[in-house]
Every structure is written in structure tokens, then in C-alpha cells.
Amino acid sequence: MSFRRHSVLAVTGIAALALAACGNDSAEPAAEPTAEETSGGVSLEQVQESGLTVGTEGTYRPFTFHEGGSGDLTGYDVEIIEAVGEKLDIDIQFQETQWDAMFAGLDAGRFDVIANQVSITEERQQNYLFSEPYTVSNGVIVTLADNDEISSFDDLDDKTTAQSLTSNWYELATESGANVEGVEGWAQAVALLEQGRVDATINDKLTFLDYQTTEDNENIKIAAETDDHSYAGFIFRQGSETLVEAFDEALAELAEEGTLTEISEKYFGADVSQ
């Protein structure tokens, strides 16, 4: 799969949803620096010699987190970039930081790449380099398993959905004609759904899949999905072209070998890498 063959406009439509929808409640940096304000990039040869420093949160389950709160760093993003590092004979060194400081750390050269479900957007592509996507997702309507009344977004007209009032899913719900019951997050939305107090909730598909891998809740289902998709990739400073090309080649090999599918299914019970 080549992301660059997809229309950037299709990505831009819902790319702003990806981080919040996946469960990261941290705010986006107020202003991401321009290419002129960033440190120089790194080459494949440089990181093969000195190692690759990876910026990540370490608190963003299931993408980058510590098992049990204090165990080894693990997660979907962590395992994928470790697999890339093994392919390219690169020593991976993680540096954990808060989301608000993530881009500043990359720009200052404190790390060479970010592995933290960064959405590929047209604005970011003007200032940074992205690998090919390793995560693809979209929005879904979740209803009770026995609900036969909702099978499309048009069916939400005059129905009640549970949404965070500050999320883009709230906007999609209201645009679909739904009455919205405000909630603090996914767990509360599912509770209201099971109590029969709302008809549905809209969220990112990754959130639903992650929840089902641990809860296996047979009372709920995906009733409909958005046509647009969001994409996440590893993000680098400008000047890191040879490293990005090597990452793309490694990701393609990992996809062909089934490694990306295996990691995806481990965390989501489905292949979210393509």
C-alpha cells in the first residue's frame, strides 16, 4: 500500500480525529514550528552507527505504555518501530515525553523520530517527513447488538448518541441529526448505551477494537462506518530522506511477511495496518 497514492484531501477530512479518537486526551501543540525552525535531519547511516532515538509518550495504551503501569515499555507503535529497527539493524532507544512536548523534542533533535500515532495531515507534511502509514482507521457507529434500526449515519436522525462535547465525533453526530448526550469518554458512552439511555455512540474504530480485545462485550456492535479514513505514520525532521526511505522499505517487507498483521491482531484483534 502506498499512502502517497491516496488523495491528501481524503486524509485531511478526518485526520484531526485520530489522536483524540484513539484515546489520547492531550491537546495538540499550539503551533508546530516551520521547517526553518527545526534542527537538521539524520541519515540511515548515522542512526545505524549511533542508534535511533524515538520520542513517545509511554502512557498511551494500547500504542505506547508500560505493562502494569511500571513494566517494560510496550504497545502497538513500540513493537512496530522495534520490528523496523531489527530490519534495518538499528538500535532503538526510547525517550518518553508528554504529547505537548513531542514536536519540540523532535525539532530540537532530542530524538530522531516520533512513534505515537501521529496523524498524517497536509499541514504537517509541509514541515516534516512521514513514513508510509502503519495505522489506518475510520469512524464507526456503535449500537446494541440487537439494534436493527441503525445501519447508516442517516439513521441517526432524531436518535440520541453519547459523545464527548469537545470531540469531532460530536460534530459528526449533530451533522447526522442526532441528539447528543454529553459524556466524558468511551467507557461512559458504553455504559449509557447498555443502560438504554442512548441509541448509539460514534467513535474511532481503533477505540472499539481495543475495548473488545479486553472486554469482548457481546452486547454491542459496529452498525456503520465512515467512508473516509485517517492515517498515522512515523514522523521525522526534514533532511531525513534516506532514513524515511529505509523505513518505508522495512514497513513494506514487514507487511508482506505478515508481521504488521500479527502485531495488529495482538492489540486490536484485527489488521489496522492497512
Side-chain angles (χ1 to χ4, degrees):
M1 174 192 65
S2 174
F3 172 78
R4 297 180 181 90
R5 289 199 292 267
H6 289 277
S7 168
V8 170
L9 294 177
V11 177
T12 305
I14 65 171
L17 307 176
L19 284 170
C22 292
N24 186 340
D25 295 327
S26 301
E28 294 270 352
E32 294 167 8
T34 64
E36 289 74 14
E37 298 172 317
T38 64
S39 175
V42 292
S43 68
L44 173 62
E45 291 74 16
Q46 285 176 304
V47 298
Q48 284 178 327
E49 180 177 344
S50 61
L52 182 75
T53 304
V54 180
T56 194
E57 280 181 283
T59 56
Y60 186 15
R61 181 184 293 268
F63 303 101
T64 162
F65 65 99
H66 290 271
E67 191 65 61
S70 58
D72 292 338
L73 182 68
T74 188
Y76 175 74
D77 288 48
V78 171
E79 288 201 25
I80 289 182
I81 201 165
E82 285 179 334
V84 171
E86 185 174 350
K87 277 280 183 190
L88 300 178
D89 193 26
I90 296 173
D91 179 39
I92 301 293
Q93 304 153 8
F94 291 99
Q95 183 171 325
E96 295 176 42
T97 187
Q98 295 180 342
W99 170 253
D100 288 349
M102 198 76 67
F103 284 89
L106 180 64
D107 297 330
R110 290 197 297 273
F111 33 81
D112 308 308
V113 59
I114 295 174
N116 209 85
Q117 283 298 295
V118 180
S119 301
I120 302 174
T121 67
E122 189 172 17
E123 180 180 5
R124 287 176 179 156
Q125 286 178 311
Q126 294 175 0
N127 300 318
Y128 299 97
L129 301 176
F130 276 95
S131 71
E132 291 287 328
Y134 60 92
T135 312
V136 181
S137 189
N138 60 341
V140 295
I141 300 174
V142 177
T143 65
L144 290 177
D146 60 0
N147 186 322
D148 296 324
E149 296 182 358
I150 299 175
S151 59
S152 70
F153 283 85
D154 290 338
D155 293 333
L156 292 179
D157 190 31
D158 284 336
K159 298 293 193 300
T160 302
T161 69
Q163 310 296 152
S164 168
L165 299 182
T166 59
S167 73
N168 288 327
W169 303 125
Y170 165 78
E171 296 178 10
L172 182 55
T174 55
E175 288 171 2
S176 301
N179 304 307
V180 174
E181 178 78 18
V183 294
E184 294 182 1
W186 167 256
Q188 188 178 1
V190 173
L192 292 183
L193 184 59
E194 293 190 299
Q195 292 165 10
R197 295 169 57 184
V198 299
D199 302 298
T201 183
I202 305 174
N203 213 299
D204 191 278
K205 189 174 183 177
L206 295 179
T207 300
F208 174 84
L209 293 174
D210 174 44
Y211 171 81
Q212 289 293 56
T213 58
T214 57
E215 301 299 325
D216 192 23
N217 188 342
E218 297 180 353
N219 295 326
I220 62 175
K221 69 176 181 181
I222 293 177
E225 305 188 21
T226 61
D227 293 328
D228 289 337
H229 291 75
S230 62
Y231 301 84
F234 299 116
I235 183 170
F236 307 77
R237 292 188 300 279
Q238 295 281 356
S240 304
E241 283 81 3
T242 61
L243 183 57
V244 175
E245 290 174 6
F247 258 64
D248 287 347
E249 291 175 4
L251 286 169
E253 291 179 14
L254 291 168
E256 184 176 354
E257 296 167 359
T259 302
L260 296 188
T261 298
E262 181 180 343
I263 296 173
S264 293
E265 291 179 343
K266 173 181 178 179
Y267 289 98
F268 299 102
D271 189 356
V272 302
S273 68
Q274 58 184 340

